[in-house]
Amino acid sequence: MITVTEATAPAATLKRLSDEGVSIWLDDLSRKRITSGNLAELIETKHVVGVTTNPSIFQAAIGSGEGYEEQLADLATRGVTVDEAVRMMTTADVRAAADILRPVYDATGGRDGRVSIEVDPRLAHRTAPTIAEAKQLAWLVDRPNVMIKIPATKAGLPAITEVIGRGISVNVTLIFSLERYREVMDAYLAGLEKAQAAGIDLATIHSVASFFVSRVDSEIDKRLAKAGTDEALALKGKAALANARLAYEAYEEVFASARWTALAPSGAHKQRPLWASTGVKDPAYKDTLYVDELVAPGTVNTMPEATLNATADHGDIHGDAVTGGYAQARADLAAVEGLGISYEEVVKQLEDEGVSKFEAAWVDLLDAVAASLRGKGVEGE
């Protein structure tokens, strides 16, 4: 069984974070990270208990070609399509990572030790193909600790319900707005009810809801800077934390509702909030801002390795930083709105951009793999 070393000072900071009820997941995966032993080392020494991937992460990993040469050659020899080649490589990485994390999964009863893989982002606005892709990915990876990532688009919501209803664990991604987050939790509960009606053991189903953080500040700060007033500039760096804190308030409300308490006795698990996009994009802000200030019990923080290392080195973990801040959070968002910056417009733009960015990264990945297959003498089309 994998254990976490507590002796080093950096690990002590991360242990404090874990002790506050925050699961530390790594927001990155590559073949090299797996085969070099780096992932196992991060689990052993830095309290990492899960891994998330997305199309941009795979584009960076597989696009480099490092570690994928032999598999690419085999796929080229078989003459597979580009789409099949990409899925064979990505699912192989997720399967290997899931095996490395299996002891964590077993030790936590399935709560952690999770590896997430996303449906084809080109399907984000199509419900039935998203469901079919989620089922296929679960079958391809074939590990109990996989989570299938489904974007929280309007078309994604019924897909979440259907996939959960089939007993497949889901990581809901690209959540920016409080309204959409509540719709995501509703879709999850509907899925649990569907699974229960089908006789599926609810204890086998887990889910997280990936609420994006730094991108909210990036967009709102840009608009505040354009306004340029002292009042506007004083609000920079506050919107993302306010948004996330109010999301946690919504989580507390939903999972104290009568609808939830009817499911809990059957072994159902709460859908935990996952703070995503926690790498700080503005160098004026502390690089651990979205870790230090979003500590709350029952959450997940998925970090790029740079943020993980920064937190280990100089993170300031000072207990629950969320539940006492709801009134201030509402005031901060109201102040932003009061300056003529539309919250609804911002979160809609961020969702659209998020889907587009992942789709573009996926297409770039397909193009890179197609070129590699052609370079090995097979068109792969």
Side-chain angles (χ1 to χ4, degrees):
M1 174 179 169
I2 295 175
T3 58
V4 178
T5 302
E6 300 180 17
T8 64
T13 303
L14 295 172
K15 183 179 186 301
R16 283 199 298 275
L17 183 60
S18 297
D19 287 346
E20 290 292 341
V22 179
S23 292
I24 300 169
W25 291 9
L26 179 71
D27 192 26
D28 188 54
L29 187 64
S30 68
R31 186 71 51 89
K32 183 179 179 182
R33 192 182 288 283
I34 293 165
T35 58
S36 68
N38 172 260
L39 177 58
E41 181 183 359
L42 292 177
I43 296 166
E44 189 76 26
T45 64
K46 290 192 173 175
H47 292 261
V48 169
V49 293
V51 171
T52 51
T53 67
N54 62 47
S56 297
I57 287 169
F58 278 130
Q59 191 274 332
I62 298 174
S64 73
E66 188 174 7
Y68 298 92
E69 298 86 354
E70 182 178 352
Q71 189 177 15
L72 273 167
D74 289 344
L75 292 165
T77 300
R78 289 174 54 206
V80 303
T81 66
V82 174
D83 282 271
E84 183 182 355
V86 167
R87 274 311 184 202
M88 290 302 100
M89 288 188 286
T90 57
T91 54
D93 283 355
V94 169
R95 189 161 45 248
D99 288 344
I100 293 168
L101 278 155
R102 181 60 187 267
V104 177
Y105 170 85
D106 291 338
T108 61
R111 179 181 177 84
D112 288 310
R114 295 282 178 171
V115 187
S116 298
I117 184 170
E118 190 153 344
V119 297
D120 186 331
R122 296 171 296 179
L123 305 177
H125 299 297
R126 301 168 61 198
T127 302
T130 292
I131 295 167
E133 170 96 340
K135 290 161 56 182
Q136 175 75 356
L137 284 173
W139 178 81
L140 278 172
V141 175
D142 193 27
R143 294 295 186 272
N145 49 332
V146 70
M147 273 188 170
I148 308 303
K149 290 181 82 172
I150 297 175
T153 57
K154 278 292 186 183
L157 295 172
I160 292 160
T161 295
E162 180 65 24
V163 173
I164 289 289
R166 290 175 177 269
I168 298 171
S169 294
V170 172
N171 176 342
V172 184
T173 188
L174 291 175
I175 308 171
F176 295 94
S177 83
L178 295 168
E179 179 182 4
R180 183 57 53 83
Y181 179 42
R182 286 184 180 274
E183 291 174 337
V184 165
M185 290 187 283
D186 180 74
Y188 174 62
L189 294 178
L192 289 180
E193 289 160 352
K194 190 175 182 111
Q196 186 176 51
I200 296 171
D201 180 3
L202 300 190
T204 64
I205 304 170
H206 287 258
S207 183
V208 294
S210 296
F211 199 87
F212 278 55
V213 184
S214 67
R215 295 187 194 182
V216 174
D217 269 345
S218 295
E219 182 57 34
I220 290 182
D221 281 1
K222 182 169 63 179
R223 300 183 185 210
L224 291 169
K226 186 176 180 180
T229 64
D230 289 345
E231 181 186 7
L233 297 178
L235 287 167
K236 289 183 68 177
K238 294 185 176 181
L241 291 174
N243 200 37
R245 285 168 177 155
L246 293 179
Y248 192 82
E249 181 185 40
Y251 157 77
E252 289 185 309
E253 290 174 2
V254 169
F255 289 99
S257 67
R259 188 178 183 191
W260 166 250
T261 54
L263 289 164
S266 297
H269 302 283
K270 295 178 181 179
Q271 182 187 53
R272 290 185 291 168
L274 179 152
W275 309 130
S277 183
T278 56
V280 171
K281 295 179 171 54
D282 188 335
Y285 300 152
K286 186 183 177 186
D287 54 2
T288 61
L289 174 67
Y290 303 124
V291 179
D292 297 348
E293 298 301 326
L294 288 177
V295 176
T299 59
V300 179
N301 196 309
T302 183
M303 310 177 200
E305 189 170 15
T307 304
L308 175 70
N309 291 336
T311 302
D313 182 66
H314 53 264
D316 179 18
I317 309 306
H318 49 274
D320 184 345
V322 173
T323 59
Y326 301 148
Q328 185 61 53
R330 275 188 285 275
D332 287 342
L333 288 187
V336 169
E337 287 263 10
L339 293 173
I341 297 171
S342 168
Y343 174 85
E344 292 303 327
E345 180 185 313
V346 167
V347 293
K348 174 65 166 60
Q349 176 183 320
L350 290 173
E351 180 184 305
D352 292 344
E353 288 177 352
V355 172
S356 295
K357 285 176 182 177
F358 281 171
E359 183 175 347
W362 194 253
V363 171
D364 286 346
L365 174 56
L366 292 171
D367 289 345
V369 170
S372 295
L373 293 173
R374 285 194 297 271
K376 297 179 185 304
V378 178
E379 285 297 313
E381 300 289 351

